[in-house]
Amino acid sequence: MAIYQKMEKLDKVRLRATTGICMIGIGVIIFFISMGIFQNVTGSNFGFFLGVAGGFVLRGTHGTYKKIYKDLFVEEPLQRNFDDVFYAWRSGFSLDEMNSFGLCRNGNKIASEDYIRAGYKGINFEMADVCLKDITKSGKSGADIMFNGRMLVFDYPGKKVGTTRIYSDAFYYLPKDDITKNNKVEMESDKFNQIFRVYAEDPHDAFYLLTPHFMETLLRLQKKYANIGIRFCGNKVVVGLNDRGGKDSFDKSDWTNKVIYPEEMARIQGDIDDIKTIIDTICFPEAQS
């Protein structure tokens, strides 16, 4: 299907959703005005049925819209930018996987979507949007959000290192383990120590990883991604962008508004460039200016 055909189909679904929302809104207004001011049973019934009809018109439009949107604006750009792409927008990381990453405090409930597995410059990576919560058994105190943002896992081409974690000051809910309790490492850069906290099983690994040049590239990276956490373990790296705002990558939150193709494509390319920037910074720091 050509781009213009997909755009046309996307707009039809959007207009159907907008119609349904308007019908529901008008129906609710008529219902309450008829019941409250005029005490008119006929008017209230009309408002009720108009709202119900709007619900039927609206039903299923969001899922249909997302399916077309993901195919048009996400899957095709991913294929152009990366190698061996597997993309499943309904899926994500499991609870066990998320807790095994060891970057943030463990939770017991997860919502995750927009799973990507692909390659970039010979580096295999996985990424998904994640909202990880810790819900008490009683439920009386609600839920603490352990992590809400993007989680990126990829190969590290350097030598294998023991567990080393690097957190910006804005990153919250660090793991409860001996590493973050007892193994804080002060680097030689005061500027870096003001922005980042470093924890390592072996301080030698921290000094091996955090060369002066790499610390400078991480400081530049933190200016763009304030709530960033990084965990090195063996030959794997886990990066979390814990933005708290719950911004989903590869999504359009205001989906009932008309899509401008060049603007939307540029926004999605920005999400893709985030992945490239992080992998380039960590795996190829010597190439960063």
Side-chain angles (χ1 to χ4, degrees):
M1 189 183 295
I3 290 174
Y4 78 90
Q5 291 175 312
K6 292 180 181 178
M7 287 292 293
E8 188 177 64
K9 190 173 180 181
L10 194 71
D11 207 43
K12 285 181 180 178
V13 176
R14 181 188 66 83
L15 289 172
R16 179 182 157 198
T18 303
T19 301
I21 292 170
C22 289
M23 289 172 67
I24 293 171
I26 294 170
V28 169
I29 292 171
I30 293 174
F31 177 83
F32 282 107
I33 289 178
S34 298
M35 289 290 290
I37 299 175
F38 300 109
Q39 297 292 309
N40 187 310
V41 176
T42 302
S44 64
N45 286 341
F46 174 73
F48 174 79
F49 285 115
L50 184 62
V52 171
F56 277 105
V57 172
L58 180 64
R59 187 174 62 178
T61 53
H62 192 209
T64 302
Y65 184 95
K66 286 188 77 170
K67 186 176 185 303
I68 301 168
Y69 178 90
K70 299 289 187 180
D71 177 55
L72 178 60
F73 288 105
V74 183
E75 186 146 9
E76 291 181 7
L78 286 174
Q79 295 287 349
R80 290 197 301 270
N81 282 268
F82 300 119
D83 303 318
D84 303 320
V85 174
F86 173 79
Y87 176 57
W89 62 271
R90 292 185 178 91
S91 302
F93 292 124
S94 69
L95 179 62
D96 288 342
E97 285 175 319
M98 184 64 186
N99 286 336
S100 73
F101 293 152
L103 189 66
C104 63
R105 201 169 301 173
N106 285 0
N108 54 26
K109 186 175 179 60
I110 191 171
S112 185
E113 64 176 11
D114 276 311
Y115 175 81
I116 303 165
R117 184 177 67 241
Y120 172 66
K121 292 184 178 179
I123 303 295
N124 296 317
F125 72 87
E126 298 175 276
M127 193 191 87
D129 286 327
V130 177
C131 181
L132 180 69
K133 297 181 180 180
D134 182 48
I135 300 176
T136 60
K137 291 182 179 179
S138 64
K140 292 180 181 179
S141 60
D144 289 324
I145 298 177
M146 302 291 103
F147 183 89
N148 193 3
R150 279 175 283 176
M151 189 63 69
L152 178 62
V153 185
F154 52 92
D155 297 336
Y156 181 59
K159 79 165 189 177
K160 292 184 179 180
V161 295
T163 300
T164 305
R165 298 187 180 108
I166 306 163
Y167 298 99
S168 68
D169 278 341
F171 199 97
Y172 60 105
Y173 283 123
L174 273 59
K176 290 181 176 178
D177 59 24
D178 289 338
I179 295 175
T180 50
K181 287 179 182 177
N182 305 318
N183 294 71
K184 193 171 190 299
V185 180
E186 292 291 327
M187 305 309 296
E188 295 177 353
S189 168
D190 290 336
K191 183 179 179 181
F192 187 85
N193 291 331
Q194 290 172 6
I195 303 297
F196 287 99
R197 294 160 289 171
V198 180
Y199 305 89
E201 285 180 329
D202 184 345
H204 289 94
D205 286 325
F207 288 106
Y208 163 76
L209 290 166
L210 292 165
T211 63
H213 181 71
F214 189 30
M215 284 191 284
E216 285 297 324
T217 59
L218 287 181
L219 286 169
R220 288 197 295 271
L221 190 68
Q222 189 272 339
K223 288 180 180 180
K224 186 172 184 181
Y225 316 107
N227 302 330
I228 188 170
I230 306 168
R231 179 180 184 251
F232 293 85
C233 186
N235 59 355
K236 288 287 184 182
V237 184
V238 180
V239 177
L241 304 178
N242 203 4
D243 61 19
R244 294 195 184 194
K247 173 189 174 295
D248 290 333
S249 54
F250 307 120
D251 261 328
K252 188 175 190 300
S253 56
D254 55 340
W255 66 283
T256 54
N257 290 335
K258 189 175 180 63
V259 175
I260 308 300
Y261 183 82
E263 293 179 5
E264 198 65 19
M265 193 60 79
R267 192 178 67 80
I268 294 300
Q269 186 62 49
D271 286 337
I272 290 172
D273 289 342
D274 285 345
I275 301 172
K276 293 180 175 181
T277 297
I278 291 167
I279 294 177
D280 281 337
T281 299
I282 293 173
C283 294
F284 312 108
E286 68 283 351
Q288 308 304 305
S289 57

